[in-house]
Amino acid sequence: MDSSTSMEDSTPTFYVGQHESKRSLPVTDQVLRQAQNCNYDMLTTPITTPYFHNRVLSLLSTHLSELSSNPADIRNGQPPSPTIPSLSLVDTPLTPGHIISQLLAFASPWIDLSSPDPLIYNISRQVLNMEIAYAAFCGVGNVIIQGPKLHHGSMHGEGVTQYAHAIQEALSIASYIQIQIMLPMVDNPSADGNDEMGSFAPFARDEYIETTVDEKLKKADVYGTWDAWNIIRTFLLHNAGWLIMLDTALLLPRHLPPLPVQSRWHSEPLRFLALNSETFLKNNASYPVLARTHQSLINRYMRLKTPPWIMLCDVGPIPGLDNPNMIVDMADGFISPNAAADAPSSPTPAESFHHQQANSKKIKETTPHLNYIRNLQRKQPPRTTVERYGDGYYQDFLQAPLQPLTDNLESITYEVFEKDPIKYDRYEKAVTRALSDWAKYEKPKSSPDGRIVVAVAGAGRGPLVTRALRASEAAGVDVELWAVEKNPNAYVLLQHHNVNDWSNRVNIIQSDMRSWKGPWHETSQPPSKAPHKIDILISELLGSFADNELSPECLDGVLHLLNPTCGISIPHSYTAHLTPIAAPKLHADISARAHNDSSASETPYVVMLHAIDYLSTYSPPPPSASPNKSGNESEKQNPLSPLPNILPAWSFTHTPLPSIPATNTHNTRQARLTFRTRDRGACHGLAGYFEAILYPATDSDPAVELSTNPLTMESKSAGMISWFPIFFPLKVCVSIRPIFPPLASTFLTTAPSAEFDVANQSN
C-alpha cells in the first residue's frame, strides 16, 4: 500500500486478500502485480487443479462401482481404499518461486474429512496430505482448509474428532506451515447441506448415514461451529501441542449472530475474516457496503494484538488480466459519501422502488468491494491511550507479578509506571483533599513545629513525593515530609531529587518500612532524636489483585506509627474482584510453558487482557427510546453488549494500629463465588481486578478512587495504565454447559456450572 495514503500509526492497518473459488488462471508474477496495482495485499491459489479433482473423483467412482458389483467382498471384510497416485505436472499450478511467499494456498474444498464413511474419509485424508506435502515443498507459508462438515443426514458433529486427527497428521507432515481452518461463524444446517459440484460428501454410502428426521437439527446453532473448533483445538493441544500452528479463518454471514457469539470468536486465534459477495449489502447508490453491525465487528477485531487479515471471496476477478489496455484504478478508499452511505435497514415502499432502480445501474469501479474495505480502514477510530500503550508487546502477554519486597527494581521498571499520569493525578487529589480537610477540621498535628507529618512509604524514584509537595502547595498547608525506601539504588536518586528538585524539603530514609522507627525531631534537653507520629501515610504497594504484592503485610509494619486519633492511610482500602473468562490464547501459551516449567499452570500472571470472552454476563438496561421512535426500534439501533459479572472477593482497610501484629492470620482471606452463565463455553481461568479508595467520601465531596475493574474503571480512573488485570489459570479447562432456562443456570466445576473456591493466604 502507498504510504502516502496510510493513516497515522495509531490506526489499525488492513491487509486485504482476494480469493476466487473458481480461479481459472494460475497465479503468475503478472497476476500478482496486477492484484497489487489494485491494492490487494495477497492472493489465494488452489494447490491442485480441476484435472486432479476429476482424476480422484474417477478413482472414487470406480472403486464404489466395484464394491456395489461385488457385495460379497464387503461381507468378507472392508476392502482397502484405493491409493491416489502421486501428483503430476497437470495436477497442480504451483511451483517454487519468488512469489510463493505472497500466496495463500487453498486445500481442495471438495474433500470431506469428517465423513462417517471410512472410504470417503480415507481418500480425503490422502488428498489433504498430498497437497500439504507439496505446498510445503514449494515454500507456502499458509494453507487454508475447509472446516468440518457438521451435518451428514441427521448426524450432527460426529466426525469432528476424526477431522482433528487429519489436521494433526497434516501438521506433522509440514511443521512449518501455518494452517487456517475456514469456518462459518454460525452452524447453519441449510447452508452446510449445499455441497458444491464434485464434493465427496454425497458419495458417502447409505449404511453410514443416519437419516432420522430431527427438527432440532434443522435449526441454526450459534455456538455449533465454535463447539467444533473447540474440539479440534483441544484435541491438538492435548495430543501433540500443534495449536501454535493453527488459526481460524472466519466466514462472516450476511446477518451476524448475537454479540456474545461475536465476543467468543474475538477470543479465538483469528487469522482471516472472510467476506463474500453475499455478506455485502447494496446502498441507494448501488454500491456494496457492510451493515453497521459488520462495521462494528471489524472495528473491534482490528484492535487485536495480531489483527486478522481480510479475505474478499468471490467478489469479482482481478480486473485487466484479459485486457492489458484496460485502465485499472487503485482502490485507495477515497469514495464519495453517497457510495459509502449505509444500506437502508427497513426501507419504505418508495425507498425500495428507488433502491431497485439504483441496483439496475452499473458501477464503473473495477474493485468496489476492495475500495469500500479501504474506506473502512481510513475511517477507523484512532487507538486509545491504553491501546497504544499495550499495542504489540503487552496485549495478552503473560508477565510474572513484580516482587518489590524481595527484589530491588531497576530504574527502567519504575519509569514504566511513572508514565501513567492518571494514577498520580488521583494520588495528588487524595493528598490535597486530606490536607485540606485536616486544616478545615483543625485536626491535631504530630510535628512539634505544628506541621502535618506526611510519610511516603516505598518512595521508589520519588513520583509520590513530588505529588505530595504539589498537594501541599495546592492546599496551602505546610507539611513535614518523609520518604522511606529500601532500594539502595533508588535511595541515591531520591537524594539527587532532594537537592536539585525538592529544595531539601524532604527527609529521606533508607530502610524497609517494616523496620523503620518513624519520624523524629532533634531535642536539646537532653540531646536526642525524639520520635513522633505520622498524620498521613502514602504508599503505592497495590498489585494487580490489590494485595498480591503484599501491601497488607508491608503496611502492618508501619501503621502503628500513625497518629492514633486521626491518622490516615492513602490508600484507605481496596477490594479484589474476580470473574471467569475464556482465554484460549493464554491457555495455549501456558500449556506450552508447562513442558519446561511444571508450575506454569499454577502461577498467576499479570496480563493486559484483550482476546478474552467473559463467561458470566448480564444484560444492561436498554436505553430509553427517543420520542420519535418506538422502544423496539431504539433497541435495534442501539444494541448493548452484555456486561461481565465481576464479583468482589475480599477487602482490606488500613487504619492506625496500636502495635505491629504478632501473627499474619488477620490477613487471611477466602471467598466462594457463584457465577451464572447463559451460554456454553470453556473456562480457562479467572480474571482478577481491584478497586481502591485512596481517600473516602465526605459530606461535600465524593471518594477519590482507582479501579481496574472494567465495570467501574471509566468512572473512577479512566485511561489508567499502571496495573493490568491478573490471570489465575486453571490447570484443566472447565467445560461450561448451562442448563435451561438460561437464567437458571449456574457455574459449577463438574458441569452445568462452576463454583470456584478462591483462597488467599498471605505469608
Side-chain angles (χ1 to χ4, degrees):
M1 188 191 308
D2 187 352
S3 60
S4 65
T5 65
S6 300
M7 299 186 69
E8 298 179 1
D9 292 339
S10 60
T11 58
T13 300
F14 286 21
Y15 292 95
V16 186
Q18 190 256 15
H19 169 63
E20 294 178 44
S21 57
K22 304 295 184 182
R23 197 182 295 278
S24 58
L25 294 173
V27 180
T28 61
D29 190 29
Q30 176 191 354
V31 175
L32 182 61
R33 284 200 308 270
Q34 186 72 358
Q36 292 171 339
N37 290 338
C38 295
N39 211 6
Y40 282 112
D41 295 298
M42 64 199 86
L43 290 180
T44 65
T45 178
I47 301 176
T48 53
T49 63
Y51 180 87
F52 176 74
H53 181 195
N54 292 332
R55 185 159 67 89
V56 176
L57 199 59
S58 176
L59 183 69
L60 173 62
S61 299
T62 301
H63 187 75
L64 288 173
S65 298
E66 292 175 354
L67 291 178
S68 61
S69 60
N70 297 289
D73 293 344
I74 301 178
R75 289 194 296 270
N76 295 330
Q78 192 66 239
S81 300
T83 301
I84 302 175
S86 301
L87 295 177
S88 63
L89 177 63
V90 294
D91 290 327
T92 176
L94 288 183
T95 55
H98 66 281
I99 69 168
I100 201 73
S101 61
Q102 301 176 65
L103 300 181
L104 307 168
F106 251 84
S108 294
W110 36 267
I111 61 176
D112 187 3
L113 294 168
S114 55
S115 175
D117 188 331
L119 173 63
I120 302 300
Y121 171 68
N122 186 284
I123 295 181
S124 297
R125 191 168 53 83
Q126 289 185 59
V127 171
L128 179 64
N129 291 344
M130 292 175 67
E131 292 185 333
I132 291 291
Y134 186 71
F137 167 77
C138 291
V140 171
N142 292 272
V143 174
I144 301 172
I145 302 175
Q146 195 69 35
K149 181 177 172 61
L150 300 180
H151 299 271
H152 296 85
S154 61
M155 303 171 70
H156 179 218
E158 281 82 351
V160 176
T161 301
Q162 70 180 34
Y163 178 95
H165 187 276
I167 297 298
Q168 177 184 330
E169 188 177 19
L171 284 168
S172 66
I173 292 172
S175 56
Y176 296 103
I177 279 184
Q178 194 83 21
I179 287 181
Q180 288 84 44
I181 297 180
M182 177 73 83
L183 295 166
M185 201 171 196
V186 171
D187 173 18
N188 188 344
S190 59
D192 195 28
N194 297 331
D195 300 311
E196 67 172 46
M197 183 69 68
S199 171
F200 276 8
F203 287 88
R205 290 165 288 180
D206 293 341
E207 58 264 34
Y208 297 100
I209 302 293
E210 296 179 8
T211 56
T212 304
V213 177
D214 188 341
E215 293 299 324
K216 293 182 179 180
L217 297 177
K218 296 180 180 180
K219 298 180 180 179
D221 181 359
V222 292
Y223 284 102
T225 305
W226 178 84
D227 276 336
W229 161 251
N230 189 45
I231 292 171
I232 297 166
R233 170 253 307 286
T234 304
F235 180 91
L236 293 175
L237 180 64
H238 289 173
N239 285 275
W242 290 112
L243 197 57
I244 195 172
M245 303 302 294
L246 192 68
D247 300 298
T248 58
L250 197 61
L251 180 60
L252 301 186
R254 190 182 187 90
H255 301 287
L256 289 179
L259 287 170
V261 182
Q262 300 176 35
S263 295
R264 180 64 53 79
W265 285 112
H266 178 267
S267 69
E268 298 295 346
L270 291 174
R271 176 57 65 93
F272 291 105
L273 291 179
L275 296 86
N276 59 27
S277 58
E278 295 298 319
T279 311
F280 287 83
L281 307 173
K282 289 290 186 70
N283 63 12
N284 288 330
S286 195
Y287 206 88
V289 297
L290 293 174
R292 283 283 183 90
T293 52
H294 290 71
Q295 296 176 43
S296 299
L297 179 142
I298 290 175
N299 289 348
R300 180 185 182 191
Y301 283 19
M302 296 308 289
R303 257 64 185 173
L304 288 166
K305 180 179 180 179
T306 305
W309 301 339
I310 294 177
M311 183 68 66
L312 295 179
C313 305
D314 295 322
V315 296
I318 302 297
L321 291 179
D322 54 352
N323 183 5
N325 298 322
M326 180 180 179
I327 298 176
V328 178
D329 296 327
M330 172 179 279
D332 54 13
F334 289 104
I335 57 179
S336 68
N338 288 338
D342 293 333
S345 55
S346 299
T348 64
E351 289 173 332
S352 297
F353 177 77
H354 175 75
H355 187 58
Q356 292 172 3
Q357 295 286 74
N359 282 344
S360 64
K361 301 177 183 178
K362 291 285 186 178
I363 300 177
K364 294 181 180 180
E365 286 189 34
T366 53
T367 54
H369 298 82
L370 174 60
N371 212 10
Y372 178 78
I373 294 297
R374 292 302 185 195
N375 181 260
L376 276 188
Q377 178 181 350
R378 290 187 172 280
K379 295 192 298 186
Q380 287 289 293
R383 296 184 190 274
T384 64
T385 301
V386 175
E387 287 174 337
R388 289 197 300 271
Y389 180 74
D391 187 34
Y393 178 73
Y394 292 114
Q395 194 183 103
D396 295 317
F397 179 79
L398 297 169
Q399 304 175 72
L402 293 175
Q403 300 294 333
L405 185 63
T406 304
D407 305 325
N408 290 324
L409 303 181
E410 300 293 337
S411 179
I412 187 65
T413 305
Y414 289 115
E415 183 178 351
V416 170
F417 295 105
E418 290 170 14
K419 291 179 179 178
D420 184 357
I422 307 299
K423 175 179 73 173
Y424 293 110
D425 286 347
R426 306 301 286 173
Y427 263 98
E428 182 178 336
K429 183 176 182 179
V431 178
T432 302
R433 285 267 304 277
L435 292 174
S436 299
D437 287 349
W438 207 286
K440 177 181 178 181
Y441 297 109
E442 299 181 347
K443 298 179 183 180
K445 302 169 184 176
S446 297
S447 178
D449 58 9
R451 293 182 292 169
I452 297 175
V453 180
V454 178
V456 177
R461 303 199 317 174
L464 284 181
V465 177
T466 299
R467 295 300 182 129
L469 292 172
R470 289 186 189 176
S472 172
E473 296 171 359
V477 177
D478 199 11
V479 299
E480 175 188 319
L481 186 56
W482 294 77
V484 183
E485 175 55 49
K486 77 172 184 66
N487 187 339
N489 306 308
Y491 172 69
V492 176
L493 184 59
L494 290 173
Q495 293 175 308
H496 174 82
H497 285 317
N498 201 24
V499 173
N500 295 283
D501 304 318
W502 301 330
S503 303
N504 288 310
R505 290 178 290 170
V506 184
N507 303 285
I508 302 175
I509 304 296
Q510 182 188 352
S511 171
D512 188 317
M513 69 181 73
R514 297 171 297 175
S515 58
W516 183 41
K517 302 303 181 183
W520 47 266
H521 59 277
E522 298 282 356
T523 61
S524 56
Q525 298 295 332
S528 66
K529 295 181 178 180
H532 54 263
K533 293 294 185 178
I534 302 169
D535 296 318
I536 301 175
L537 176 66
I538 309 171
S539 63
E540 53 174 333
L541 306 173
L542 294 172
S544 293
F545 199 49
D547 59 298
N548 61 295
E549 293 184 12
L550 302 182
S551 176
E553 288 76 7
C554 291
L555 291 178
D556 277 351
V558 71
L559 286 173
H560 69 285
L561 300 176
L562 273 180
N563 183 323
T565 58
C566 49
I568 62 173
S569 168
I570 298 177
H572 171 263
S573 61
Y574 35 85
T575 302
H577 293 71
L578 288 167
T579 190
I581 62 172
K585 294 180 182 178
L586 299 181
H587 182 69
D589 191 356
I590 294 171
S591 298
R593 295 186 181 197
H595 292 297
N596 300 317
D597 180 6
S598 59
S599 64
S601 58
E602 300 173 354
T603 302
Y605 298 92
V606 174
V607 190
M608 185 179 183
L609 297 174
H610 192 77
I612 65 167
D613 183 31
Y614 294 107
L615 296 173
S616 179
T617 61
Y618 65 94
S619 298
S624 57
S626 65
N628 299 326
K629 295 179 181 179
S630 68
N632 289 339
E633 289 176 345
S634 175
E635 188 171 347
K636 287 179 182 178
Q637 295 186 9
N638 298 280
L640 295 177
S641 299
L643 298 177
N645 187 24
I646 301 175
L647 303 182
W650 48 69
S651 300
F652 290 88
T653 301
H654 298 300
T655 56
L657 293 177
S659 61
I660 298 177
T663 66
N664 196 39
T665 55
H666 64 289
N667 284 326
T668 299
R669 300 287 190 275
Q670 285 186 332
R672 172 168 288 191
L673 306 175
T674 300
F675 296 92
R676 290 179 177 269
T677 61
R678 294 169 180 259
D679 305 304
R680 59 187 186 265
C683 181
H684 299 104
L686 300 173
Y689 309 93
F690 76 86
E691 295 180 6
I693 298 176
L694 297 181
Y695 190 72
T698 62
D699 294 338
S700 56
D701 296 295
V704 182
E705 299 179 83
L706 299 174
S707 175
T708 64
N709 183 342
L711 298 177
T712 59
M713 183 175 180
E714 192 65 27
S715 61
K716 296 183 177 181
S717 51
M720 186 175 65
I721 57 177
S722 286
W723 292 278
F724 295 154
I726 197 165
F727 178 61
F728 296 97
L730 296 179
K731 193 168 187 178
V732 178
C733 173
V734 177
S735 179
I736 309 301
R737 296 284 168 178
I739 57 179
F740 292 93
L743 291 178
S745 64
T746 51
F747 193 172
L748 291 176
T749 44
T750 52
S753 81
E755 193 172 79
F756 291 100
D757 286 330
V758 184
N760 174 44
Q761 176 68 57
S762 301
N763 296 314

